[in-house]
Amino acid sequence: MTLPVTFAEVVEVRRITPRTARITFAAEELPDTVGGAPDQQVKLCFPRPGQREPVLPARQDDPMGWYQAYLAIPEAERPLLRGFTLRRRRPGTRLVEIDFVLHGDTGPAAAWALRAEPGDRLGMVGPSALYGPSVPFAEAAAAADWVLLAGDETALPAIATLVGALPEGVRAYLWIEVTDRAERQELESRAELAVEWLHRDGAAPGALLAEVFRDAALPGGEPFVWLAGEAGAVRAIRRYLVEEQGVSKASIDFTGYWRHRLTQDDAPTAEDLADARERSAGY
């Protein structure tokens, strides 16, 4: 399995909400499969201070071999990796759009995006099946009586691509937690959507999302549930669905995109490792 690795240069930066920047990149190389499915995940490699572009190992057929080569780069030169969802590929081009949540200078990705301008360069690794779910979304949604997608603003790019891939006749419920009303985005789909926006307005991240699950009366029938966002909130919601609502673990695709008060550079917790084991085992 070849792991795509390329440099990507900023060609456009737009604020689509006050706290979200949509950045268009021109990739030097881009397989035809990129942009051909929803919820495609990539790793962006951010340069260290003083570097015009990150130091990247060459593309390899062995993804783990590439990662070992990445780790072999001296720490002072090694790029910082962060996971993102491809929002869109412009048809017939090597241009891809990626949305960045702007939450200040506390993390390397948001800090970089705040200052991004045309000509800036990153590394892009993937998309790869290694980063995706064990069951394709379209297949799981088609087998369910209804679909529920829930997450915070970091999940919006993935949610937008997922609902955009749903066919007519599918019932899909969306519960999306954002900072405030200004962070809402338009979502296009052929499916029958019921969208509920949850505005934090100062509440703790994930609190409103967990609350709406506890208070809601879920439809009857067999669902397929897609969850993403702050890891603690996602974990609590999944536990509630399985233990209190009787939803099968196999019917829940879940990902903790970020951790409250921890970064991706911090060591995984015991709960993080347990989540990873369950995902790798097919939920």
Side-chain angles (χ1 to χ4, degrees):
M1 179 189 299
T2 300
L3 184 66
V5 179
T6 188
F7 287 100
E9 184 170 309
V10 176
V11 297
E12 183 182 43
V13 181
R14 291 190 294 128
R15 287 287 182 96
I16 60 171
T17 75
R19 297 177 180 86
T20 304
R22 177 163 295 164
I23 300 183
T24 302
F25 295 91
E28 290 185 355
E29 299 180 49
L30 209 59
D32 292 340
T33 54
V34 175
D39 195 16
Q40 289 191 328
Q41 305 294 310
V42 297
K43 302 292 185 184
L44 295 183
C45 306
F46 295 87
R48 293 283 186 170
Q51 295 177 334
R52 181 179 179 273
E53 63 182 29
V55 177
L56 293 182
R59 182 174 55 234
Q60 297 188 23
D61 289 340
D62 175 18
M64 291 308 299
W66 184 91
Y67 188 62
Q68 291 302 316
Y70 161 80
L71 292 177
I73 299 172
E75 186 174 357
E77 301 175 17
R78 188 188 309 148
L80 294 167
L81 262 63
R82 292 294 185 268
F84 284 84
T85 303
L86 286 179
R87 181 62 182 82
R88 189 170 78 98
R89 178 180 185 166
R90 297 188 185 177
T93 74
R94 286 182 282 107
L95 299 177
V96 295
E97 298 173 356
I98 297 178
D99 290 354
F100 291 73
V101 178
L102 305 176
H103 50 76
D105 274 348
T106 55
W112 181 90
L114 277 169
R115 300 170 178 82
E117 57 185 23
D120 291 346
R121 287 168 63 83
L122 292 180
M124 189 170 76
V125 182
S128 168
L130 291 174
Y131 309 150
S134 59
V135 178
F137 176 77
E139 178 183 326
D145 294 313
W146 51 275
V147 175
L148 172 60
L149 300 100
D152 59 24
E153 52 267 83
T154 63
L156 261 174
I159 289 174
T161 66
L162 291 168
V163 299
L166 288 174
E168 293 181 7
V170 173
R171 283 188 300 154
Y173 301 86
L174 280 64
W175 293 336
I176 307 171
E177 181 186 291
V178 293
T179 301
D180 52 36
R181 181 175 292 273
E183 294 306 303
R184 295 186 180 196
Q185 297 181 27
E186 292 294 326
L187 298 171
E188 298 180 358
S189 179
R190 293 169 294 169
E192 179 184 327
L193 299 186
V195 185
E196 183 172 352
W197 293 94
L198 310 170
H199 305 141
R200 274 195 298 275
D201 292 325
L208 294 179
L209 200 58
E211 182 179 328
V212 77
F213 272 90
R214 289 193 298 268
D215 295 343
L218 299 179
E222 295 297 323
F224 179 72
V225 182
W226 186 96
L227 302 170
E230 198 281 320
V234 168
R235 188 177 297 122
I237 292 167
R238 178 174 177 268
R239 186 179 299 123
Y240 169 78
L241 288 172
V242 172
E243 297 178 359
E244 302 296 328
Q245 293 290 336
V247 178
S248 166
K249 289 183 178 180
S251 297
I252 306 174
D253 183 0
F254 68 104
T255 309
Y257 282 164
W258 61 285
R259 299 179 294 171
H260 195 43
R261 298 191 178 91
L262 293 173
T263 74
Q264 292 185 33
D265 300 316
D266 293 314
T269 66
E271 289 183 312
D272 295 331
L273 294 173
D275 288 349
R277 285 193 294 270
E278 288 214 46
R279 282 182 56 81
S280 65
Y283 318 129

